[in-house]
């Protein structure tokens, strides 16, 4: 029997220029985001990962670098598969207006390229190895984590919407040749103190 523990971590809080609320793609972590990433690394220290993979954007790359400081000798790879892309060209009909507005912001090319990359990410990461056991860490973005959680539950494709993840939150899925995927943890932030939790969530989701 072969098995994989897939660790999925959202990047730390992104820095933003003063007076803005958007997430510029080429901006790295805030001071708080760097602390979140360092604490995530401490949480994962000692896990015998086969590899760490991260998306190409600065916020994911910087998070992975800070985590990898606690994982000496483990190879780290940048991959477009872990990037920030639309996972599914979901039909907005009947969805809440906030979801419909979100989906309307994607271009025609993003509606093609995003699902293609997501399908490749599923094929690459969401399966056990050919034999033996491994542990893989992917530092990525909330959309891909939401899609992989939805995929593990075999939920309807549009159900990735609404699965929001804390910055530096940790989700773990077990894939086994003996049966369907198992959710081990979802959005775990036990490694973060209260003042570092809740970032990356819509304001009305915070508690």
């Amino acid at each position: 029997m072969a098995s994989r523990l897939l660790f999925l971590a959202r990047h730390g809080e992104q820095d933003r220029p003063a007076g803005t609320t958007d997430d510029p793609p080429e901006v790295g972590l805030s001071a708080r985001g760097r602390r979140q990433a360092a604490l995530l690394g401490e949480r994962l220290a000692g896990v015998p990962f086969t590899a760490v993979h991260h998306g190409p954007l600065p916020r994911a790359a910087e998070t992975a670098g800070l985590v990898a400081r606690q994982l000496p000798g483990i190879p780290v790879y940048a991959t477009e598969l872990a990037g920030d892309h639309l996972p599914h060209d979901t039909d907005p009909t009947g969805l809440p207006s906030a979801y419909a507005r979100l989906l309307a912001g994607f271009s025609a090319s993003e509606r093609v390229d995003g699902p293609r990359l997501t399908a490749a990410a599923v094929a690459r990461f969401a399966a056990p190895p050919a034999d033996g056991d491994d542990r893989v860490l992917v530092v990525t973005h909330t959309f891909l984590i939401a899609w992989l959680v939805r995929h593990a539950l075999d939920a309807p494709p549009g159900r990735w919407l609404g699965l929001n993840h804390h910055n530096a939150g940790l989700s773990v899925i077990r894939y086994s040749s003996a049966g369907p995927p198992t959710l081990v943890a979802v959005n775990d932030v036990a490694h973060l103190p209260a003042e570092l939790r809740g970032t990356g969530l819509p304001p009305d989701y915070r508690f």
Side-chain angles (χ1 to χ4, degrees), residues 105-196:
F106 290 91
S107 68
S109 62
E110 288 171 328
R111 294 173 184 276
V112 173
D113 293 341
R116 175 183 58 79
L117 288 166
T118 301
V122 169
R124 172 65 182 81
F125 298 119
D131 56 68
D133 303 306
D134 69 9
R135 290 168 173 79
V136 174
L137 171 62
V138 178
V139 179
T140 184
H141 303 264
T142 194
F143 285 178
L144 181 59
I145 298 171
W147 184 261
L148 288 168
V149 169
R150 180 222 64 82
H151 178 267
L153 293 173
D154 198 22
R159 197 60 191 89
W160 69 274
L161 288 159
L163 295 177
N164 296 279
H165 299 272
H166 294 261
N167 289 126
L170 185 65
S171 298
V172 184
I173 305 172
R174 183 176 185 268
Y175 299 94
S176 170
S177 58
T182 301
L183 287 179
V184 178
V186 178
N187 226 357
D188 183 350
V189 289
H191 48 286
L192 301 179
E195 65 271 17
L196 293 181

